[in-house]
Structure formats: structure tokens, C-alpha cells
Amino acid sequence: MAPPTPPLKQQQHQPPYEDASSPYFLPHSDNPGVQLVTQQLNGSNYSNWHRSMTTALIAKNKLAFVDGSLEHPHHTDLLFTQWMRCNSMVVSWLRNSVIPEISSSIMYIDDAYHIWNDLRERFSQGNLARICQLKQQLFNLKQGAEDVSTYFTNLRILWDEYKDFQPSRWCTCDHCRCHSARRWNDFQMQECSMQFLIGLNSTYSQIRSQIISTTPFPSLSKIFSLVLQEERQRSIEFGLPQSSLTNTEVQGSLINATGIARGRGGRGKFLCTHCGKTSHTVDKCFEIIGYPPGYGRGRGKPQGFSTDTMSRSANQLSSGDTMITQAQGVVPPFSTADMTRMISFLQSQMQAHSSSTNTQISPASIKDGKVFGDASAPASMSPPFSGSFSGDCDWEG
């Protein structure tokens, strides 16, 4: 028969300041100059600061020094010295986590628990005013010129702070079986999702209607993913960066692509890509084909279809204006070569008739496109636009 196994040696009891699981333990990395949170308390951000400091103190295993669970020991206690050391460390962390003005007001408070309560009593009393401010900001929050990701981030910042002021659950029974906390959290997420959809631009009305009619209602993360995919799809179709796909700019890109602009009373339905004016297209632009006789009488407009206008139009066509017009979505009825040959032919005809006109017809005998006096003048001398012109034209944008 085997001899009995000797009992294990009992481990020696470690003092609390050497036990890593004890709040009295201070690792070598801890020092009074550490700033536990990046955002210091300035008075108006107490809710966010409180949550950040609570998380940091839990990670340092020092929350017991500020919530009152570890009371001040008597000076005869063996742990009194170690408690004073840890308490002074937490006091230094609290002073480093507030702005200098607030730090001066707590400089003579030596207990971390008293500092924690003093800051709470001073800066947590304006909860109702902050809740009202958050509700107003959420009501006025719209996407506007921001992309979907930036708009969603701004919404979550406001909504999470607003949710923190509300109770986590309504059930008061000791052992809850109605799952009120879970249902309350689901309701809060649904409210945040609806707020996100309401603030989107009108260009997302179709995807918004599809999401609202979905059963069961998707989660907030799923809704954000669907809207973000819609934004990326539009950036591929329009060839624009995601940040520029606002309502106004999308409408502008559609207008430039089709060459159609909005007008009043049926006027201004067309947009000329050459001069930028409305009520006509590029194939009827007077700056290219020339002005009719008597156009703009009394308004400083050109009075005839001059050779300089024809030459300038030919140069513009040869320099590639027609290519630009085609690239913008407005295709003229003639090709560049056809229009160039037509303009060259008209220029030669006008130069031939201009030399004969100087000898047969005086300048005073031409009025409103009609020849007076000498009947032997050739009939082909009439300007390219026959008849009289009243001066009222729908061409002006």
C-alpha cells in the first residue's frame, strides 16, 4: 500500500500592497504625473468626463477610492500608510484630469472621495438643461453637405450622450423576467435609426422608404451600411467624390449632363454650352451663326451678320468647341467638317457680293434688310436673315 501523500504546503499570505488584485497595489508604471483621460473636465463636459474617468479608474483598480467602498482607515491600522499612498496617487490623477481653473479649487482637498463628490455636486446639476440642449441639437441635425459617415458619427455622439441621461431600465423587481432592459435598449436604437433616416438629404428618399417598409426593422448598423452603399454607388455613377454628393450638386451634375436648365413660364428650358445663356441651344447660338439684322436695336447689340463674326465662329469651331459641346452631352445637327465648309462658302459669297455692293449700292440705300434706290442691285445681296426684325427675341438668357 502506497504511503499517503503529504499535504501541500500552505502558501504564505501576501500583504495587500503586493497582491496585484488588491486596490492597494501600485505598479511601477503608476506615477502622480499621469493624465488618465485625454479630455479634461471644463465644466460643460462632465457626463463624458465622468464616464472616461470611471473607466480609467476601473482599469487601474482604484475605483474603490472614489466611490466610498474603501473607507479611510484609522491611523493605527497597518494599511494606513499604504492607503495614504494610493489615495494621494488618485488625488493627483484627478487634479491632472481637470482644467487648471478647476484644479485650483480642489487643491486643498486631500481625500479622493471628497474631490469626486465635490465635482459631481458642482457640475452634474445641470442635467435637465443639457438634455434640452441635446434634444434641440438632435432635432436640428441634418446631413447637409456632409457625407453619410460624418453625419452618422455626429448623430451617434449626440445620441449616446442623450441616452446616458436616461434610465437604463424601468423594471423594479428583484429578479427581472420581463426583459424590460433589453426592450428599452431596442426602443432607443430604433429611435436613433429613425432620427438618422429623417436627417438624410432628399436624394436618399428612395432607400429611406425601402428601409422603413422593411419587416422586421433593421438594426442601426445595418441601416448605416445600406445608406453608405447607396452613397458609394452614386459616386461611381456620377464620377464624383462621396463628400460632394449633396442634393444641390447632384442636381447640377444632371443639368450639365443633359443641357437642360430650369426656367420660368416655359422660358429657359434650354442651356447653351457655348455662351452659358438659356432659351437656346449651341446649334442656334448667335455668337456662332451670327446675329440677325436689327437684333438688339437700341441695346448695343450687333446689327448685322458680319464677316468677323463668321471668322470668329470658324476659329472657335476649329479650336475644338464642338468637341467640348459633344463631351457635355449636346450634339449639334452637323459635324465639325460640315459646319466649317458651310461657313467658308458663306464667307466667300459675302466677300464677292461685298465688292460689288460698294460700287452699285450706297450704304444709305440699305435699311432693315431691304434695298432702296438702284433696282439693278443683285437680289442675292439680301442678308442671310430675310424680313424685318422687331427687336424682341426669346434668345436672350
Side-chain angles (χ1 to χ4, degrees), residues 94-96 98-108:
L94 291 175
R95 291 172 181 172
N96 295 336
V98 298
I99 60 177
E101 292 77 6
I102 300 178
S103 178
S104 300
S105 65
I106 60 177
M107 186 60 64
Y108 296 96

Side-chain angles (χ1 to χ4, degrees), residues 287-362:
E287 292 186 3
I288 296 179
I289 65 176
Y291 292 91
Y295 173 77
R297 186 181 295 114
R299 292 183 292 176
K301 297 287 185 179
Q303 298 294 327
F305 191 68
S306 62
T307 306
D308 295 338
T309 304
M310 299 286 291
S311 301
R312 185 170 59 255
S313 301
N315 294 333
Q316 292 173 350
L317 288 173
S318 61
S319 62
D321 284 352
T322 306
M323 298 295 292
I324 297 176
T325 302
Q326 293 178 356
Q328 294 179 349
V330 182
V331 182
F334 303 100
S335 63
T336 305
D338 295 338
M339 297 182 69
T340 304
R341 287 194 295 269
M342 185 182 302
I343 292 174
S344 300
F345 174 75
L346 293 175
Q347 287 179 348
S348 60
Q349 293 294 324
M350 293 188 65
Q351 290 177 359
H353 289 290
S354 176
S355 58
S356 61
T357 302
N358 294 334
T359 58
Q360 296 181 8
I361 302 177
S362 62

Side-chain angles (χ1 to χ4, degrees), residues 249-260 271 273 327-330:
E249 294 180 352
V250 168
Q251 292 181 356
S253 62
L254 293 175
I255 292 175
N256 293 332
T258 57
I260 299 177
L271 175 66
T273 57
Q328 294 179 349
V330 182

